Amino acid sequence: MHYIPLIPLSELPENTHKSVRSDKHTIVLFHYEGTVTALGNSCIHEGGDLSQGSIQRLEDGELYIVCPWHGWQYSLKSGKAPQGYRDRQALYDVIVENGMIMVSEEPSREAFRAVHDDDPLADLRKMEYQTTKSSLNVLGISTTNMNRDLPRPSTSETALQSALDFAASEFGAATKMIRIRDLDFRHCEGYYSRHENACTWPCSISEMDPEDGMNAVYRAMVLWADAVILATPIRWGNASSLFYKMAERLNTVQNQITIHDRVLIKNKVASFIITGGQDNVQGVAGNLNAFFSDLGFTFPPFNFVGWSRGWIAEDTENNYNTFFRSRYVKRSVKELVTNTLHLVMQIKGMDVTDLHTPKPKISEAGTLSE
Ligand code: FES
């Protein structure tokens, strides 16, 4: 085997590791427990820089490098992942001659990434879209929060449900409702801040935990839906915290555009229902439009229904009944759905001529006495 001199041993003190470039490869050298070993530097998962990783001793007594991106581990001596995994980082042979670290020109054991037949995320990985040329799949996403054991009436969710019912009855649409509060999922853990390539599709959290609740959103929003209608209450002038928790986990969709110019969401339409005891409907609509636009969604004209009773309406016990009686809400929700599905049909080449304006009219505002 041909060995290449890399660096003097004096430049790799005991209990350190560093990356070094050979002629062809970037290699990470380790000097631990009196031995120098060498692995490929680029993690076989998504290319994380192993030289930036930390060292851990696992239960088998061996030292492992922990990838700084998503925590994959490789034995310093063998390059193997811990027991139970077949993955392996490339391993290079090392000799130290006359104080110089020499490394085999090619790996003595090649890297190996196990392919799993029963990959629980295969549909997301392969982008198995469920839309067709004539499908009208409408996904409702409710982001209001409440005690699951003590539910309360919600203005935003009621409007969303009636939007889905109307889409089904008037357009024959297939509908699905996802209540974000029913999903158990982890917050975005900010891998992007390590490196833009560390934010992956499918999301690395989904890979770590195929049971993560966001997988239902990825499947429904990215693979199944032709249209998404998102409903949110206004909280402190913004969309709900559950919306933002979901939105941060959708970085995985947006980041594909950033790093691969790969648009996962194409020809899909988004509209919004925004309700609040107090105001900032336009601010919330602006934020939602900006975010969904960045995901790749298209918008119909007049793509949000807003409802609020204003700043001084502290009699919140009257919100729901006032909302429920509002003729404006009843009309505008239908018009929102109509405009949304007309755009879907236009995108799919179907004939659409009507345009509706789901805008408030004072004559239709619900009143306490109505
Ligand atoms: S664990 Fe190394 S890149 Fe993901």
Side-chain angles (χ1 to χ4, degrees):
M1 187 167 307
H2 185 234
Y3 287 86
I4 301 175
L6 287 184
I7 55 170
L9 183 59
S10 57
E11 291 181 16
L12 188 70
E14 177 86 24
N15 295 325
T16 65
H17 54 278
K18 71 190 299 189
S19 70
V20 180
R21 180 86 200 151
S22 76
D23 286 351
K24 297 185 195 158
H25 309 288
T26 303
I27 291 168
V28 55
L29 297 173
F30 302 93
H31 188 177
Y32 290 87
E33 300 182 316
T35 309
V36 178
T37 57
L39 303 179
N41 187 59
S42 176
C43 176
I44 57 164
H45 176 221
E46 292 288 343
D49 178 354
L50 291 186
S51 72
Q52 300 299 312
S54 55
I55 303 292
Q56 257 180 25
R57 190 181 298 281
L58 298 192
E59 283 170 1
D60 60 8
E62 276 197 48
L63 292 180
Y64 285 77
I65 181 76
V66 182
C67 178
W69 283 13
H70 313 106
W72 285 31
Q73 299 158 314
Y74 307 99
S75 158
L76 303 192
K77 285 188 183 150
S78 67
K80 289 182 182 167
Q83 216 179 359
Y85 297 94
R86 292 186 296 132
D87 308 271
R88 189 177 63 221
Q89 194 67 13
L91 178 72
Y92 293 81
D93 282 352
V94 178
I95 52 175
V96 180
E97 257 182 24
N98 301 323
M100 179 63 76
I101 299 173
M102 319 257 292
V103 170
S104 58
E105 190 175 13
E106 296 297 337
S108 56
R109 231 171 297 157
E110 294 288 348
F112 172 75
R113 173 122 185 226
V115 179
H116 302 281
D117 294 339
D118 55 348
D119 177 4
L121 304 179
D123 56 337
L124 294 170
R125 231 180 279 285
K126 295 181 195 158
M127 293 304 299
E128 292 174 355
Y129 287 107
Q130 295 160 34
T131 50
T132 66
K133 280 189 175 158
S134 58
S135 60
L136 287 178
N137 296 342
V138 183
L139 171 65
I141 299 180
S142 173
T143 65
T144 192
N145 206 358
M146 67 180 77
N147 185 331
R148 292 176 198 173
D149 300 326
L150 196 59
R152 57 171 174 75
S154 154
T155 52
S156 60
E157 194 163 297
T158 296
L160 179 58
Q161 187 59 61
S162 59
L164 296 182
D165 292 346
F166 182 71
S169 62
E170 284 299 308
F171 291 88
T175 63
K176 217 178 245 190
M177 168 86 95
I178 290 184
R179 296 174 181 83
I180 298 298
R181 67 179 178 279
D182 288 344
L183 305 179
D184 287 325
F185 63 98
R186 281 155 63 173
H187 286 87
C188 174
E189 290 160 6
Y191 298 102
Y192 183 84
S193 65
R194 284 273 185 191
H195 190 283
E196 60 179 3
N197 290 337
C199 178
T200 60
W201 174 266
C203 175
S204 55
I205 294 175
S206 303
E207 289 187 320
M208 292 175 208
D209 179 11
E211 300 300 316
D212 185 277
M214 268 303 288
N215 295 339
V217 176
Y218 298 140
R219 290 195 166 94
M221 181 186 283
V222 180
L223 301 181
W224 181 79
D226 292 297
V228 173
I229 302 177
L230 181 132
T232 182
I234 301 171
R235 299 268 190 255
W236 290 101
N238 289 294
S240 75
S241 58
L242 284 183
F243 163 73
Y244 286 105
K245 185 179 176 191
M246 175 189 75
E248 289 182 11
R249 286 290 304 278
L250 288 167
N251 287 350
T252 180
V253 174
Q254 197 276 339
N255 194 47
Q256 286 296 297
I257 302 167
T258 306
I259 59 177
H260 297 307
D261 204 13
R262 182 175 177 227
V263 181
L264 305 185
I265 291 183
K266 293 177 211 162
N267 299 327
K268 294 180 190 285
V269 178
S271 296
F272 310 109
I273 293 168
I274 302 160
T275 68
Q278 290 161 342
D279 209 351
N280 197 25
V281 170
Q282 287 167 320
V284 174
N287 282 335
L288 294 177
N289 272 312
F291 177 69
F292 276 78
S293 167
D294 238 29
L295 291 181
F297 279 92
T298 304
F299 307 112
F302 312 108
N303 77 323
F304 68 92
V305 166
W307 181 88
S308 92
R309 293 179 59 224
W311 180 246
I312 60 169
E314 295 289 2
D315 57 332
T316 52
E317 70 277 15
N318 291 317
N319 279 359
Y320 187 78
N321 284 343
T322 312
F323 171 86
F324 194 70
R325 288 197 201 104
S326 164
R327 280 180 287 133
Y328 153 65
V329 171
K330 290 185 175 64
R331 170 181 60 81
S332 62
V333 164
K334 290 177 182 171
E335 293 186 346
L336 183 83
V337 170
T338 302
N339 288 349
T340 301
L341 289 184
H342 279 182
L343 182 55
V344 171
M345 289 187 254
Q346 282 177 347
I347 288 170
K348 291 175 185 267
M350 302 172 194
D351 181 35
V352 177
T353 47
D354 286 347
L355 184 61
H356 296 261
T357 56
K359 294 284 136 189
K361 295 186 178 89
I362 191 66
S363 60
E364 294 177 336
T367 64
L368 293 177
S369 57
E370 200 173 333

